Amino acid sequence: MIYLDNNATTQIDPQVCKKMSLFLEQQFGNPSSLYPIGREAKEFINEARENIADLLGAKRSEIIFTASGTESDNFAIRGVMEAFPEKDEFITSAIEHPAVIETANYLKKSGKKVFFIPVDPYGFIDLDLLQKKVTSKTALISIMHANNEIGTLQSLEEIVRIAKSKDALVHTDAVQTFGKIKLDVQKLGIDLLSISGHKVYGPKGVGALFVKKGTPLLPLIHGGHQEGKMRAGTENTAGIVGFGEAAKIAQERLKKDKKRLDKLADQLKKGIHSSIPDIKFNGPEEERIKTTLNFSFLKLEAEAVLLALATKGIYVSTGSACSEDSDEVSHVLTAIGLSPDQARSCIRFSIGRFNTEKDINTVLQELPEIIENLRKISSSI
Ligand code: PLP
């Protein structure tokens, strides 16, 4: 198998599995219990919190564990909007993950004023319009760091500068950048930031939200006193410990991995460009996560390309995994100006830690012939 869908999810790192297995097989104590197996579980959770905080340049007390990146996004947005009843405006972008878009739609239905900032053909948000739209009634701006479909990296520093000019808070969905590029929440001046375990070779079903000290936020889930009373529910100890281990490994390997994976991505991008005609690269050339590559194979249905690649054991995506099982055209690809037909011809390749140069060479060997054959079939219909 050649797995090139690392933005959808990643293979769990064996070292993460090993660390988690202690909590799945033996260490079953409730972290709230006062006897040794409870206290030990709590200590491991705090160690995981430390690892994640370190990778973000945050303090341990600023990390709240959740059940997913989706929950972190919901929590940040609803939690801040509810904490500011006197401010009823929320601003986001047109290319956010559904976890943000649908939360924005929920706010709209409940009477808040919501504005979606459009993007240019490369996926960069219109910063002039953002400056015009933000007012003293804006409680929160939520703009993703890297887009999951086309890799565009937004200028968070600039967004924070605009937000602060009107006293608005800033949340960013950094699910696709955490562990891939260096993040420093203090330098960025971000107030809230969402991350997810399964995108960084950790387990599924665990996420976290960074909340800068002093940020007004109301809990989304009510119940017990876990996570400083901000996220009730007995902790997913194995998941949290696994996420912490994944963060520790990411910290150790960040520079080396980035260099190697960016090189593989360049190789794949150049190879596709030089061997396949009638294609369009979607996304910017600079200011991007290089390991996310999105191409339109014009006049073809992406699903046919995906299935043909799958018969060769090569796994890619037709867009974001979250929209793959629906007929809807990706809102990201339409927002950057693709026609519905162009959007339906898009394949996303996302490269990760376990990919090798051999994987890329195999794809470059198989793909041109697959595209040529599919085009022959489609032109004969
Ligand atoms: N945000 C972005 C940018 C994502 O890519 C994803 C997952 O694809 C999520 C949020 C949701 O994360 P999770 O799968 O942990 O809910």
Side-chain angles (χ1 to χ4, degrees):
M1 173 175 81
I2 297 177
Y3 183 74
L4 287 172
D5 200 10
N6 288 278
N7 283 13
T9 197
T10 54
Q11 184 187 338
I12 202 157
D13 191 288
Q15 195 179 315
V16 169
C17 254
K18 201 164 157 220
K19 184 107 184 187
M20 286 174 75
S21 67
L22 174 69
F23 291 87
L24 295 169
E25 290 168 1
Q26 296 167 37
Q27 272 273 15
F28 63 89
N30 186 322
S32 296
S33 299
L34 295 178
Y35 39 78
I37 56 166
R39 283 183 186 277
E40 278 157 25
K42 183 82 142 202
E43 269 172 39
F44 273 98
I45 287 177
N46 282 333
E47 184 188 304
R49 206 185 302 281
E50 186 94 51
N51 291 345
I52 287 168
D54 274 357
L55 195 47
L56 287 172
K59 297 188 195 80
R60 198 167 87 171
S61 57
E62 293 174 317
I63 305 298
I64 302 173
F65 285 110
T66 65
S68 59
T70 299
E71 184 187 320
S72 299
D73 286 343
N74 275 257
F75 181 15
I77 298 168
R78 289 178 61 181
V80 167
M81 293 308 291
E82 283 173 19
F84 284 99
E86 73 287 2
K87 289 189 172 198
D88 63 349
E89 294 173 7
F90 172 68
I91 302 178
T92 186
S93 87
I95 60 162
E96 297 296 312
H97 187 270
V100 171
I101 299 258
E102 291 308 323
T103 308
N105 287 334
Y106 164 82
L107 290 178
K108 214 168 167 178
K109 272 192 211 137
S110 43
K112 305 280 183 197
K113 294 190 185 92
V114 174
F115 194 81
F116 293 94
I117 303 285
V119 295
D120 71 10
Y122 303 103
F124 294 110
I125 67 156
D126 183 339
L127 290 167
D128 292 336
L129 188 63
L130 178 67
Q131 178 80 70
K132 281 186 197 132
K133 287 290 170 191
V134 65
T135 75
S136 57
K137 299 275 278 176
T138 308
L140 182 67
I141 298 175
S142 176
I143 306 283
M144 74 199 315
H145 194 198
N147 182 267
N148 45 306
E149 294 188 47
I150 55 174
T152 310
L153 270 171
Q154 305 295 340
S155 165
L156 290 179
E157 287 96 336
E158 195 56 18
I159 292 163
V160 168
R161 191 192 62 72
I162 292 170
K164 298 300 158 191
S165 72
K166 297 284 181 199
D167 257 351
L169 296 178
V170 179
H171 164 250
T172 192
D173 174 337
V175 165
Q176 293 293 348
T177 44
F178 181 70
K180 291 181 190 164
I181 58 172
K182 181 93 193 89
L183 284 172
D184 185 333
V185 285
Q186 282 190 39
K187 242 196 215 155
L188 290 169
I190 284 287
D191 301 294
L192 305 109
L193 179 144
S194 303
I195 55 177
S196 171
H198 73 107
K199 309 287 183 179
V200 287
Y201 315 96
K204 295 171 183 53
V206 60
L209 182 66
F210 156 78
V211 185
K212 187 159 94 188
K213 189 170 183 278
T215 304
L217 183 75
L218 294 182
L220 190 66
I221 295 174
H222 302 276
H225 55 268
Q226 293 88 356
E227 297 297 289
K229 292 195 184 153
M230 290 306 286
R231 202 283 182 178
T234 301
E235 297 89 337
N236 168 9
T237 315
I240 290 172
V241 166
F243 191 10
E245 190 67 11
K248 188 174 126 196
I249 300 168
Q251 174 93 286
E252 289 161 2
R253 303 181 53 138
L254 195 84
K255 260 198 189 155
K256 219 169 124 203
D257 270 5
K258 185 173 179 323
K259 199 168 162 208
R260 186 179 75 84
L261 300 180
D262 283 357
K263 202 169 147 210
L264 292 186
D266 282 342
Q267 189 190 337
L268 182 59
K269 184 164 175 274
K270 273 194 202 128
I272 291 177
H273 268 301
S274 64
S275 61
I276 304 176
D278 289 332
I279 55 168
K280 179 182 175 327
F281 178 70
N282 301 307
E285 291 295 333
E286 303 289 334
E287 299 304 312
R288 56 179 290 98
I289 289 281
K290 280 193 166 189
T291 46
T292 302
L293 296 171
N294 190 310
F295 282 96
S296 301
F297 294 95
L298 301 171
K299 301 193 188 89
L300 284 181
E301 284 286 335
E303 213 173 289
V305 180
L306 179 148
L307 293 174
L309 281 168
T311 62
K312 307 275 181 189
I314 300 167
Y315 298 153
V316 297
S317 152
T318 57
S320 78
C322 311
S323 63
E324 205 143 17
D325 56 0
S326 90
D327 285 339
E328 269 174 53
V329 174
S330 150
H331 65 289
V332 175
L333 300 174
T334 45
I336 61 168
L338 265 59
S339 68
D341 275 354
Q342 283 176 328
R344 275 194 207 95
S345 71
C346 288
I347 290 285
R348 178 185 71 185
F349 303 86
S350 46
I351 295 166
R353 182 181 297 163
F354 300 109
N355 288 125
T356 61
E357 197 175 339
K358 192 164 162 249
D359 291 347
I360 304 302
N361 288 336
T362 307
V363 174
L364 290 174
Q365 226 168 22
E366 301 287 352
L367 189 62
E369 198 180 319
I370 286 175
I371 299 296
E372 196 183 330
N373 287 340
L374 288 172
R375 283 193 171 137
K376 271 189 203 148
I377 296 167
S378 85
S379 66
S380 67
I381 294 173

